[in-house]
Amino acid sequence: MKTRKILNLSIAILILVLLCVALPLQIPKSTSTGRVDLALPERGAISAAVAAPKLDTLFFEDFEYGLDAWNTDSNWSIVFDGTTNVMQGDNHAWATLKEGSSWTDYDIDADIKIISGGVQLMLRLSDMRGRYIVGVTPGGMYLDREYPWGKIEEGLAAFSGSIPANSWHHIRIEAELQKIEVYLNGTPVMSYKDTWGETLWQGSIGLEVTPGAGAQAQFDNIVIYGVVPPGGDWVKTGGPIGGLGYDVRYGASTHVMYVTDNYS
C-alpha cells in the first residue's frame, strides 16, 4: 500500500511537470522599430489583469494662439472663418511641427477644408529619412511614402469618393508599428501594412497644401495621441565595450520596453 502511494505521487508529479513544459512560453515580440511589446496573459487569466498603456495627448492645436508650435513658410496665416481661428495655407504651403521627432506609434485627428487644390498630412516625418503622406483631394484620398527624400512611392493605398470642397471634414490617421489606418468623417477608408524593408518608424507630423499656384486649404483642431516615450537614462544590458549591444528602458507601462542597438 505504501509503495502504491509513492507510485501515485510520482505519477502526479510527472504529470505536473509535463503540464508545465507544455504550457506556451510567452516571448517578447521584438520589432525593428526598437520597441518590444512584452506578451501578457489574456484578460481574466489572472486575478489582477494588467492594463494596456494609456494613450496620452501628445499635442493639441486649435490655432487660437498663433503658429509658434510650427515651422512654416511664408504661405501660411491665421484667419477667422466666422466662428474660430484656423490655419490657412495658400499656393504650395509647407509646415512641420517643431516637436515630436521621437514619436513612433500615434494617432492624428485633424479637421480640414479644401478650398481649391488638395492637402497632404505627413506622419513619421524625419529630416534624415522621409515621410508617409496621406493626401486628400475633392475626388478621394491616397497614401504615399517618400524615402529617401525625393523618391516618392505612390499608391500604397487609395480611396475614391467625393470629399466636397468648401466643407469641413475630419481625418483620423492611426499608425501602429507597420500598419497605417485612415478614417474620413469616422469611416475607415484606407488600411496599409508596410512590409518594405525601410519602413519609417518614427518622426513628427506636417501639413502641406498642393499642388501649387491657386491652391488653398484650412486646418483646425489637430490632436496627436500616443504613448509618451519614457524619460530617464538607458541601462546597458549587453555587448562588449566597443561592440554592438542592446540597451533597454521601460515606459510608464510595465509591458512596453524600448530598445536601442546603439554601440555600447
Side-chain angles (χ1 to χ4, degrees), residues 9-237:
L9 179 61
S10 300
I11 293 173
I13 293 173
L14 178 61
I15 291 173
L16 181 61
V17 170
L18 290 174
L19 285 174
C20 291
V21 171
L23 288 175
L25 177 63
Q26 293 181 321
I27 301 175
K29 298 178 294 181
S30 64
T31 71
S32 58
T33 62
R35 171 172 172 167
V36 177
D37 294 327
L38 302 186
L40 293 175
E42 292 295 325
R43 184 177 296 276
I46 55 176
S47 58
V50 180
K54 177 182 177 295
L55 294 184
D56 295 300
T57 300
L58 302 179
F59 176 78
F60 169 75
E61 177 68 89
D62 61 4
F63 302 108
E64 296 300 324
Y65 301 99
L67 296 173
D68 291 345
W70 302 84
N71 297 307
T72 63
D73 60 25
S74 61
N75 293 325
W76 293 97
S77 59
I78 298 294
V79 300
F80 185 70
D81 76 339
T83 57
T84 185
N85 286 340
V86 300
M87 183 183 189
Q88 178 172 298
D90 295 281
N91 302 312
H92 183 211
W94 174 283
T96 60
L97 190 63
K98 292 179 179 179
E99 62 179 295
S101 61
S102 64
W103 293 345
T104 53
D105 294 350
Y106 53 84
D107 302 340
I108 305 172
D109 280 319
D111 294 330
I112 68 162
K113 181 199 288 187
I114 297 172
I115 300 171
S116 60
V119 304
Q120 294 189 152
L121 291 88
M122 300 173 277
L123 64 149
R124 291 180 175 168
L125 173 68
S126 168
D127 289 340
M128 299 298 294
R129 293 178 61 79
R131 57 176 176 159
Y132 287 108
I133 304 164
V134 174
V136 187
T137 71
M141 302 178 68
Y142 56 87
L143 175 65
D144 296 344
R145 177 185 58 232
E146 184 169 12
Y147 173 83
W149 286 103
K151 182 181 179 181
I152 297 180
E153 183 171 352
E154 300 178 340
L156 303 180
F159 162 74
S160 295
S162 178
I163 305 175
N166 296 300
S167 297
W168 285 101
H169 301 280
H170 185 75
I171 306 297
R172 180 174 178 84
I173 305 169
E174 299 178 355
E176 182 177 3
L177 297 178
Q178 295 165 289
K179 192 171 185 180
I180 297 174
E181 296 185 324
V182 183
Y183 298 78
L184 171 64
N185 297 322
T187 300
V189 292
M190 293 192 296
S191 181
Y192 177 73
K193 185 175 183 180
D194 199 341
T195 57
W196 184 56
E198 294 291 342
T199 300
L200 303 175
W201 295 112
Q202 72 178 48
S204 190
I205 71 163
L207 310 173
E208 187 176 7
V209 178
T210 62
Q216 187 178 78
Q218 297 176 345
F219 298 83
D220 200 11
N221 301 319
I222 297 175
V223 189
I224 313 295
Y225 301 97
V227 177
V228 178
D233 297 327
W234 290 95
V235 178
K236 182 170 183 281
T237 57

